[in-house]
Amino acid sequence: MMVIMQEGATEEQIAHVVARIEEIGAAAHISKGERVTLIGAIGDREELTGLPLEACPGVDRVVAILKPYKLVSREFRPADTVITVRDTKVGGGHFALIAGPCSVETPDQVLTAARAVKAAGGTMLRGGAFKPRTSPYAFQGLGVDGLKMMAAARDETGLPIVTEVMDPRDLDIVAGYADVLQVGARNMQNFLLLAELGKLNKPVLLKRGPSATIEELLMAAEYIVKEGNRDVILCERGIRTFETATRNTLDIAAVPIIKLASHLPILVDPSHATGRLDLVLPLSLSAVAAGADGVIVETHPNPEHALCDGPQSLPTEAFAEYAARVLELVAWTGKTTV
Ligand code: PEP
Ligand code: MN
């Protein structure tokens, strides 16, 4: 349930409400808006309803959050969450253009991609060092060496880096390099990993599982936020359907649905959604038009020789033209990339 404080409620009044909530073993999550403070109370429903919080000084009203996800819901936080990653922002009018290779392969490959992304106005560099591959015999990524190559590309270009963590045991090492920790689609419901990420002070990019509903994605985000880390960026990357023309089916409606249901930023990954280079631009444009807070796409200096996902990777030499088209539409929607 949610306690809406009166405008001008004092810190003592807020602390008192928090103490009453915690007395019964429930958790209190404070969200300070420009004018009013909201306190989300998560715990036993019966016990919470029995608490006479409306009688506490400074409380305006108490309302139930009916959705199964609470902290990530719009009810809990009406304003968009804006996440700062180094000197760039995502959400609330800030658009992220994230690009880079599927997998880190060589220092030169990452640097070439990073320079092109930076020059074209991209805001972050993506690249996997720990790769979740369908086949156990496929290239599994360079691990820590790959993280070092990403960090070197960040040092040169200034682009923050987004990279995947698959296993809670690798969390410290990956968090030591990454600016944004990616949870891949296959791990969306790895609840132990999500809870550990929730204890960090670093943004998480949470990709929708190939067979997950929008509600399940939001519940997965709730696992992270519940532990204290509020910086979660959601990502629609295509779901499994009967259609075979594309690798997955991009659920573009997920973007406005999530914007209505949640305050968290939502990105679109047209590369994994389609598996097709020729669909990356049109679906990036649809993502912008649908209200996405960013796109994350794959680009490789030599897609023909990529160790992973070559057919869906934009050749790096074509990235500037792609980015110009996307950023033109972003500007038209009134969003910025800073
Ligand atoms: C990726 O972004 O590198 C990736 C593996 O994507 P997904 O988890 O969406 O399949
Ligand atoms: Mn990939």
Side-chain angles (χ1 to χ4, degrees):
M1 80 175 32
M2 199 162 63
V3 184
I4 300 157
M5 300 300 290
Q6 292 164 355
E7 267 186 52
T10 64
E11 288 302 321
E12 285 88 62
Q13 289 170 335
I14 295 169
H16 176 70
V17 173
V18 169
R20 294 301 309 269
I21 293 169
E22 288 176 349
E23 252 166 44
I24 59 155
H29 298 262
I30 300 175
S31 169
K32 287 204 161 125
E34 253 171 49
R35 297 199 344 253
V36 293
T37 296
L38 307 179
I39 305 171
I42 313 267
D44 183 83
R45 205 186 164 83
E46 298 259 303
E47 290 204 46
L48 279 170
T49 341
L51 263 187
L53 291 172
E54 250 142 356
C56 293
V59 171
D60 180 19
R61 60 192 195 279
V62 179
V63 292
I65 301 181
L66 298 172
K67 307 257 171 50
Y69 45 87
K70 315 282 180 197
L71 303 172
V72 306
S73 71
R74 271 272 178 218
E75 284 112 306
F76 177 64
R77 205 174 188 283
D80 286 346
T81 284
V82 180
I83 297 174
T84 302
V85 187
R86 290 184 174 254
D87 56 2
T88 183
K89 290 190 168 68
V90 191
H94 301 272
F95 188 90
L97 173 55
I98 308 173
C102 178
S103 312
V104 179
E105 296 167 9
T106 64
D108 204 41
Q109 170 239 18
V110 184
L111 263 179
T112 307
R115 286 176 188 145
V117 172
K118 176 74 183 177
T123 58
M124 291 190 228
L125 175 69
R126 62 146 289 148
F130 292 88
K131 293 301 302 174
R133 302 305 301 279
T134 302
S135 163
Y137 304 112
F139 174 60
Q140 304 286 312
L142 295 181
V144 178
D145 287 344
L147 296 175
K148 290 184 177 154
M149 292 173 201
M150 289 290 284
R154 171 181 56 207
D155 289 347
E156 191 194 297
T157 60
L159 289 173
I161 56 181
V162 182
T163 196
E164 178 158 355
V165 59
M166 293 197 296
D167 186 328
R169 290 169 296 187
D170 298 330
L171 208 50
D172 286 346
I173 185 88
V174 182
Y177 290 92
D179 296 299
V180 176
L181 290 155
Q182 176 171 322
V183 177
R186 293 156 190 82
N187 258 329
M188 188 202 85
Q189 285 185 317
N190 183 338
F191 299 122
L192 294 176
L193 177 64
L194 301 179
E196 289 304 312
L197 286 160
K199 294 176 191 147
L200 298 184
N201 185 16
K202 189 152 275 204
V204 176
L205 194 162
L206 177 65
K207 299 187 92 176
R208 179 179 181 183
S211 307
T213 63
I214 293 171
E215 187 170 289
E216 285 162 345
L217 171 63
L218 292 169
M219 296 298 279
E222 185 88 6
Y223 265 91
I224 302 172
V225 178
K226 178 176 171 288
E227 298 300 324
N229 186 353
R230 294 179 174 202
D231 288 349
V232 179
I233 305 164
L234 304 169
C235 180
E236 161 59 40
R237 46 76 73 203
I239 51 175
R240 190 164 275 202
T241 70
F242 56 81
E243 180 55 68
T244 54
T246 48
R247 185 175 172 184
N248 293 286
T249 298
L250 179 63
D251 181 9
I252 197 73
V255 174
I257 290 170
I258 286 171
K259 294 253 80 145
L260 289 170
S262 174
H263 52 83
L264 296 176
I266 166 84
L267 309 184
V268 168
D269 174 347
S271 309
H272 291 93
T274 64
R276 283 175 52 170
L277 172 59
D278 57 346
L279 299 183
V280 171
L281 176 63
L283 291 183
S284 298
L285 296 175
S286 2
V288 178
D293 298 292
V295 289
I296 177 165
V297 299
E298 290 185 338
T299 179
H300 192 288
N302 190 354
E304 205 185 310
H305 289 105
L307 294 179
C308 182
D309 288 348
Q312 69 195 30
S313 298
L314 295 165
T316 294
E317 60 187 24
F319 186 74
E321 199 185 322
Y322 160 83
R325 297 284 304 275
V326 173
L327 294 177
E328 192 185 352
L329 191 59
V330 170
W332 188 81
T333 64
K335 290 192 169 128
T336 70
T337 51
V338 281

